[in-house]
């Protein structure tokens, strides 16, 4: 059974003809040279579109910045701020409700 595995980051460097320890400037330079040869508008060969797409994928994978370790998608801190009244939207809503109460009008700020 032939199984195609996802290429690793080291394989991407080798696909560009670079050593895995190459600096980012070398990656950018190798990608630009490759892009000049593979771009469908420049080469005139319609089959280079797929190769250009692969080169773009390789470049995006190599220049992607890693997500910081302290980054969290947990909504709890935002929810706590909203509940405690320190959220800017909560402060705005409260000030509009206070304004409405002082003028005797009802101000709908929830919409």
């Amino acid at each position: 059974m032939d199984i195609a595995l996802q290429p690793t980051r080291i394989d991407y460097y080798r696909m560009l003809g670079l050593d895995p320890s190459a600096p980012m400037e070398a990656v950018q330079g190798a990608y630009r040279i490759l892009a000049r040869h593979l771009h469908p508008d420049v080469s005139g060969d319609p089959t280079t579109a797929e190769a250009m797409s692969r080169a773009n994928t390789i470049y995006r994978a190599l220049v992607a910045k890693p997500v910081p370790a302290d980054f969290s998608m947990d909504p709890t801190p935002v929810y706590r701020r909203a509940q405690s009244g320190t959220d800017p939207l909560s402060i705005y809503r409260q000030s509009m409700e206070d304004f409405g109460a002082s003028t005797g009008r009802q101000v709908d700020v929830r919409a």
Side-chain angles (χ1 to χ4, degrees):
M1 174 184 270
D2 187 12
I3 300 174
L5 299 175
Q6 188 75 2
T8 64
R9 198 171 174 88
I10 293 172
D11 292 335
Y12 285 153
Y13 279 101
R14 290 187 182 136
M15 288 176 187
L16 287 176
L18 298 171
D19 186 68
S21 63
M24 193 53 56
E25 293 81 17
V27 172
Q28 291 171 341
Y31 168 75
R32 288 184 182 134
I33 291 169
L34 189 61
R36 282 190 207 116
H37 293 294
L38 294 178
H39 198 280
D41 293 341
V42 175
S43 70
D45 186 5
T47 60
T48 59
E50 183 180 338
M52 184 66 193
S53 176
R54 279 183 290 173
N56 287 335
T57 301
I58 290 169
Y59 182 70
R60 279 193 299 269
L62 291 177
V63 299
K65 295 187 177 18
V67 177
D70 61 344
F71 180 77
S72 171
M73 291 294 290
D74 182 20
T76 306
V78 176
Y79 181 72
R80 271 195 223 119
R81 269 199 325 259
Q83 295 301 314
S84 68
T86 59
D87 179 52
L89 185 56
S90 298
I91 295 170
Y92 169 75
R93 286 181 176 159
Q94 186 61 47
S95 65
M96 291 306 291
E97 288 173 2
D98 293 345
F99 172 74
S102 68
T103 60
R105 297 186 204 165
Q106 183 176 357
V107 179
D108 183 18
V109 294
R110 305 279 180 206

